[in-house]
Amino acid sequence: MNDTFYFFSGQDINFLKSELLLVVAWLIAFCGLLLPKKNIFLFVSSFCSIAILANLMLLIFSLGKIEPDTTTFFWNDLFYQNRFTNYLKILISVCALFSIWIQNSYNKKNSKTVSEWFVILLGGILSAQFLLISATIFGIYVSLELLSICGYLLVAFYDKEIKNKKNSVNQKGKLIASSFNYLVFGAVSSACLLYGFSWWYGISGSFSIPVIFDFVSSNSFIESNQTTFLIGFLLIGIGFLFKLAAVPLHFWISEVYKNTSSGTVFFLATIPKIAVTGILFFILNHSIHLPSNLQEIVFSVLSILGVLSALFGGFLAIQQTNFKCFFAYSGVSQIGFLMLLLVYNFQNSIISTNGILIFWIFYVLSNAIIWKFGAELDKDNADLSIKDLKNLSFISKIILSLASLSLAGLPPLGGFLVKMIVLFVAYQNYNFHSENSIYLFSLIGIGIATLIGFFYYLKIPYYLFLKPSVGTQAMARNRFSKLTLCCSILLILINIVLTIYGIRFL
């Protein structure tokens, strides 16, 4: 770590060029809200899309300048950079473009999505990128709070078509209630996170994550402070698990997903979780230097929570008939698999590091199709049922079924590769630590969760092709535009090609 303090340098600008681009773009987009009403929506939505695309290109071209397996700290060690975080930034920009694509389903006849939605989305991307590169507890907390505020606002900004609905009063009440609950519980989780960071600062006297873990791992660290460190870890875990919607902090996800637009749902399901994944990866990688007893406690608890998320998310999804609630709880189950990849990475399982990226790539590809379909079908906001999908066109049924079965893990789709990696990493760690029953529990639990996933994801093709349409409202067959179908088919083909290519390395 560098002990010399300086304000700013040309190297810092080079490392932060993506974030600086987003700052300038956000300021221009914000000023665009002052334009005449007729021009605001077109300018703001187009400019934000172009800015995100430019940021994506910049991040891709920057990859070649980052040395593999090297982490560089800069600006007085406030931030860091490596290839893994750059890959996650690329994924975040891709997810933002998908969010705009999905949200545009609400803008066919007239501009129903408020222009502020796009400005807030751009602010969310900026906050997520700063969270990914923050190396101090101060930077992590501020970035995560800004990202959370963007999420709260996006949930509240649905669209203008609510005013024209017969049940607009009831709908607005549900939207306000879900937004308020999300805000309150999010504030509580943020308070726990801040309190946990204060415990870490109290025992180490430093804001830097590497310095904190070096101090805890040093011989001068008193054993009586281990309880203090674990309490801090517990409180910090509450904050992060809420953002990931992992068990037991998943209770908010159903109502929030059910009462907001699909573009916002896709944002909540991907961008904050990708950013939290990156910072958890950074923290857990430094945890390998902890004393063995602290390591065992931390990673055992996280392993158990990962398995419980995978299992309980699946059991809750089985009971759902509402389209949004079904995929909300299935997302809880998917996060359980991700947590195991994060936890087992500390055992030097190189495949689990790449597995985190593979997980997010296929998760994003599948969910982009699912929530795009949900956006075009969901004209009543919260009333779309899985049973109402019966009368879709044949092509639409095939695409939606393949996207769902990819999450289930059916070969040759991307979920199969993800499930194989998780099972392989769990088995690998069980072989290394066969005396520890936690690893056996994780291996068995994740295997059961995989089987449960097959069961509940098969509900989608079952209702689409086999279940008789009794008492369901008829739906026009050619409901989706040709562009939506073509883009969805392309995403499915990318899914299959990447899976076949990735299987070669297993």
Side-chain angles (χ1 to χ4, degrees):
M1 305 297 289
N2 187 9
D3 294 329
T4 304
F5 180 83
Y6 60 94
F7 180 69
F8 211 64
S9 71
Q11 186 182 25
D12 297 329
I13 296 176
N14 183 52
F15 285 136
L16 290 171
K17 55 183 177 293
S18 173
E19 287 73 23
L20 293 175
L21 170 65
L22 289 176
V23 169
V24 173
W26 186 87
L27 290 173
I28 295 173
F30 184 79
C31 293
L33 297 175
L34 303 176
L35 293 173
K37 289 185 177 180
K38 293 182 179 179
N39 303 324
I40 289 178
F41 180 82
L42 180 61
F43 172 78
V44 171
S45 60
S46 302
F47 179 79
C48 289
S49 301
I50 293 171
I52 295 169
L53 185 59
N55 182 60
L56 175 61
M57 294 297 103
L58 179 61
L59 289 170
I60 292 174
F61 289 132
S62 299
L63 271 176
K65 300 179 181 178
I66 303 175
E67 296 183 7
D69 303 324
T70 301
T71 298
T72 304
F73 290 85
F74 59 96
W75 200 0
N76 299 296
D77 300 327
L78 293 175
F79 304 108
Y80 72 97
Q81 176 183 265
N82 55 39
R83 280 205 170 188
F84 182 75
T85 56
N86 210 75
Y87 283 129
L88 293 181
K89 287 181 187 179
I90 291 173
L91 278 172
I92 285 174
S93 293
V94 171
C95 290
L97 292 173
F98 277 138
S99 295
I100 294 174
W101 176 57
I102 294 168
Q103 190 69 16
N104 281 338
S105 298
Y106 297 97
N107 305 317
K108 290 184 176 179
K109 295 182 179 179
N110 47 53
S111 299
K112 294 175 181 177
T113 302
V114 292
S115 301
E116 289 84 354
W117 189 92
F118 298 94
V119 179
I120 296 168
L121 175 69
L122 193 61
I125 302 166
L126 177 61
S127 303
Q129 288 199 183
F130 270 115
L131 177 59
L132 278 172
I133 63 174
S134 295
T136 64
I137 55 178
F138 177 79
I140 292 171
Y141 179 75
V142 172
S143 301
L144 187 60
E145 276 304 286
L146 291 174
L147 180 57
S148 299
I149 290 171
C150 292
Y152 304 147
L153 293 175
L154 287 177
V155 170
F157 281 120
Y158 184 63
D159 55 60
K160 296 179 182 178
E161 70 174 340
I162 291 179
K163 297 179 181 179
N164 302 322
K165 294 177 181 178
K166 295 180 180 179
N167 61 341
S168 60
V169 175
N170 184 36
Q171 188 60 47
K172 286 181 181 178
K174 290 181 179 179
L175 180 60
I176 293 171
S178 61
S179 302
F180 183 75
N181 289 337
Y182 184 37
L183 172 62
V184 170
F185 290 122
V188 172
S189 69
S190 296
C192 291
L193 182 70
L194 180 60
Y195 193 38
F197 280 150
S198 69
W199 283 65
W200 278 10
Y201 177 79
I203 61 175
S204 64
S206 174
F207 287 108
S208 173
I209 293 293
V211 172
I212 291 172
F213 279 89
D214 287 343
F215 175 78
V216 176
S217 306
S218 65
N219 294 327
S220 60
F221 184 68
I222 305 173
E223 290 188 7
S224 60
N225 286 337
Q226 291 185 0
T227 303
T228 304
F229 176 80
L230 289 175
I231 292 174
F233 217 122
L234 172 64
L235 293 168
I236 293 167
I238 290 173
F240 286 140
L241 290 176
F242 179 86
K243 305 304 179 186
L244 289 173
V247 171
L249 300 173
H250 64 287
F251 48 83
W252 60 271
I253 194 169
S254 176
E255 286 302 314
V256 171
Y257 279 30
K258 187 176 179 181
N259 294 301
T260 192
S261 65
S262 295
T264 299
V265 169
F266 184 80
F267 171 89
L268 295 175
T270 53
I271 292 178
K273 294 181 182 181
I274 292 174
V276 171
T277 298
I279 200 62
L280 277 176
F281 182 87
F282 179 68
I283 291 175
L284 291 177
N285 265 359
H286 282 86
S287 299
I288 61 175
H289 305 298
L290 293 175
S292 57
N293 60 329
L294 289 181
Q295 272 193 40
E296 186 175 352
I297 294 172
V298 169
F299 292 112
S300 295
V301 171
L302 292 177
S303 297
I304 293 172
L305 290 177
V307 173
L308 292 179
S309 292
L311 289 172
F312 280 96
F315 284 125
L316 291 170
I318 291 174
Q319 306 170 32
Q320 305 302 318
T321 56
N322 182 278
F323 184 88
K324 286 187 173 181
C325 291
F326 176 84
F327 285 106
Y329 285 123
S330 74
V332 174
S333 180
Q334 296 292 334
I335 288 299
F337 289 89
L338 173 66
M339 287 180 64
L340 288 179
L341 286 175
L342 282 168
V343 170
Y344 290 147
N345 179 70
F346 86 102
Q347 293 289 0
N348 297 320
S349 301
I350 298 176
I351 192 172
S352 64
T353 305
N354 296 327
I356 294 169
L357 294 173
I358 292 171
F359 171 91
W360 279 118
I361 289 171
F362 291 115
Y363 186 83
V364 167
L365 289 173
S366 298
N367 275 271
I369 297 173
I370 289 167
W371 293 113
K372 180 63 175 180
F373 276 39
E376 298 210 1
L377 293 171
D378 185 19
K379 300 306 179 184
D380 296 323
N381 185 23
D383 299 329
L384 179 63
S385 172
I386 297 174
K387 298 177 182 179
D388 295 332
L389 304 174
K390 177 66 179 178
N391 295 316
L392 295 179
S393 64
F394 181 76
I395 294 294
S396 302
K397 290 180 180 180
I398 292 293
I399 295 172
L400 187 57
S401 297
L402 289 176
S404 301
L405 293 175
S406 175
L407 293 174
L410 184 72
L413 299 167
F416 171 73
L417 184 60
V418 173
K419 298 298 190 296
M420 288 295 294
I421 291 174
V422 176
L423 289 170
F424 175 79
V425 171
Y427 179 73
Q428 183 187 47
N429 281 271
Y430 169 67
N431 279 340
F432 287 143
H433 305 277
S434 56
E435 72 284 353
N436 192 332
S437 58
I438 296 295
Y439 293 94
L440 178 61
F441 169 77
S442 299
L443 181 61
I444 295 174
I446 212 65
I448 295 173
T450 302
L451 295 176
I452 294 173
F454 271 110
F455 178 76
Y456 65 78
Y457 278 117
L458 283 173
K459 286 177 66 175
I460 301 297
Y462 172 71
Y463 277 110
L464 286 172
F465 293 101
L466 301 176
K467 182 72 173 177
S469 54
V470 179
T472 58
Q473 186 177 357
M475 213 178 258
R477 281 190 173 275
N478 299 317
R479 197 176 186 91
F480 302 119
S481 66
K482 291 182 179 180
L483 180 61
T484 296
L485 292 177
C486 290
C487 291
S488 300
I489 292 172
L490 179 62
L491 293 178
I492 291 293
L493 292 176
I494 292 173
N495 190 315
I496 295 173
V497 170
L498 290 178
T499 303
I500 295 173
Y501 179 77
I503 289 176
R504 297 168 53 198
F505 299 99
L506 284 181

